Amino acid sequence: MLRSFTARFALALVAGVVAAIIVAPLVAIAVSAVGWRYPFPRIFDRTVMGTLLIAMLFSARDLNLVALLRRGFSYPPAPSIARTIRGFVVAMLAIAILFGLAFAVGGGGVSDHQAAAALIPKYFLSAIAIAFIEEAFFRAFLLGGMRSDFGDRIALIASAAIYAIAHLVRSPARFYVTGYEPAAGLATLAHSVDQFTTPSIAIPTLIGLFLLGIVLGEAYILTGSVYLSIGLHCGFVLGAKMWPKMILNRAAIPWWIAGGGTIPLIAAPTAWVIAIAIFAALRPISGAQKNLS
């Protein structure tokens, strides 16, 4: 009988992925039948999300899912809002530094300020949703559960590594499935590691995402809740979404500011330094002593 959270989580993860391999070709047929046209890798990604959710819910009792989420989100409303806002402000200051450096070296700015401003509400809502979902999963659930197996430091490092890898495990292939192709899911899964075959792009992105995961995880450990990490995460996502809209002359920006790959900002050494600086300042930023529970 599996006793550790990590082993039970790994089993649920494998079950969810195997289910997606089987189910995704059937979903593709249904999508095609109603007249929608989506690349199969996109259908596979969404199916994986669904089957993983079902697997986690099915194993909720063994994984202590409800208790972990309750612990991560249980905090008085006023301090929770304050910490979320504080995290968002810190993240936006970090993004402002990156934008300021980009402008200073000739990256330029937006040509249509009204059009860029009109995108902010849309991107802000998207950033809130992404931050809420990912902090609930990676911090409240995954980090919270792994702490019982490994303690704070190892759980922080392991969960940050999983967070980084998960953002790059995605098939770049683009093909369509209209009939029943039972091997399509397995083929897409095999291509999900293609981004790791280009180290010059994958490694800087992994470093940036790992450092971000460390910052967000430490924010959770220090405060015992996800609100500070949600604010930080929301600000970083908003900045990443606005970057392509705000920068006109990307060729003028050196790699140590602009980065590269699918998430340019996070892959830049400047962003790494900022992440380390935020990590060092997290205790005063959090306004709380380290939670040892």
Side-chain angles (χ1 to χ4, degrees):
M1 180 178 179
L2 298 176
R3 294 184 179 276
S4 75
F5 167 88
T6 307
R8 290 170 176 170
F9 170 76
L11 184 61
L13 182 66
V14 170
V17 172
V18 171
I21 292 172
I22 297 170
V23 173
L26 301 175
V27 174
I29 294 175
V31 168
S32 177
V34 298
W36 295 337
R37 183 171 170 80
Y38 293 107
F40 182 79
R42 183 176 176 184
I43 295 173
F44 182 76
D45 286 345
R46 300 301 184 271
T47 305
V48 168
M49 292 172 64
T51 54
L52 284 179
L53 176 60
I54 293 171
M56 296 300 165
L57 291 176
F58 184 79
S59 306
R61 184 173 181 179
D62 289 338
L63 292 170
N64 209 21
L65 176 63
V66 175
L68 289 170
L69 292 178
R70 184 182 293 122
R71 181 186 305 167
F73 284 92
S74 62
Y75 207 73
S80 300
I81 295 172
R83 282 183 175 169
T84 303
I85 294 173
R86 192 181 307 162
F88 181 76
V89 170
V90 170
M92 292 311 297
L93 287 174
I95 294 297
I97 293 173
L98 291 170
F99 275 94
L101 289 172
F103 293 157
V105 297
V110 293
S111 57
D112 189 340
H113 291 80
Q114 290 184 343
L119 290 172
I120 292 178
K122 173 186 174 182
Y123 286 160
F124 182 67
L125 292 175
S126 175
I128 291 175
I130 291 171
F132 183 89
I133 293 170
E134 292 197 358
E135 291 311 302
F137 180 79
F138 287 105
R139 255 58 68 178
F141 172 62
L142 184 60
L143 173 56
M146 294 182 78
R147 289 172 76 188
S148 63
D149 291 341
F150 307 113
D152 286 355
R153 295 303 102 192
I154 294 178
L156 175 63
I157 293 169
S159 64
I162 294 171
Y163 173 76
I165 293 170
H167 280 75
L168 287 184
V169 178
R170 183 168 299 175
S171 173
R174 185 182 179 89
F175 63 94
Y176 295 85
V177 171
T178 55
Y180 181 57
E181 298 184 25
L186 192 59
T188 301
L189 181 65
H191 283 292
S192 294
V193 297
D194 283 357
Q195 294 189 70
F196 295 95
T197 61
T198 308
S200 61
I201 294 176
I203 291 176
T205 304
L206 283 172
I207 292 173
L209 287 167
F210 175 76
L211 290 174
L212 178 58
I214 290 289
V215 168
L216 297 174
E218 183 70 3
Y220 170 74
I221 291 173
L222 283 171
T223 61
S225 67
V226 296
Y227 296 103
L228 179 60
S229 59
I230 285 176
L232 287 164
H233 202 148
C234 180
F236 293 139
V237 171
L238 181 60
K241 286 182 175 293
M242 290 301 297
W243 178 262
K245 304 297 180 182
M246 296 286 287
I247 304 300
L248 292 179
N249 189 13
R250 300 181 198 176
I253 306 174
W255 68 273
W256 52 271
I257 297 175
T262 55
I263 315 174
L265 278 182
I266 203 67
T270 304
W272 307 347
V273 173
I274 291 174
I276 294 171
I278 293 174
F279 176 82
L282 267 179
R283 189 175 295 276
I285 289 171
S286 68
Q289 295 298 315
K290 181 176 177 180
N291 189 322
L292 297 176
S293 61

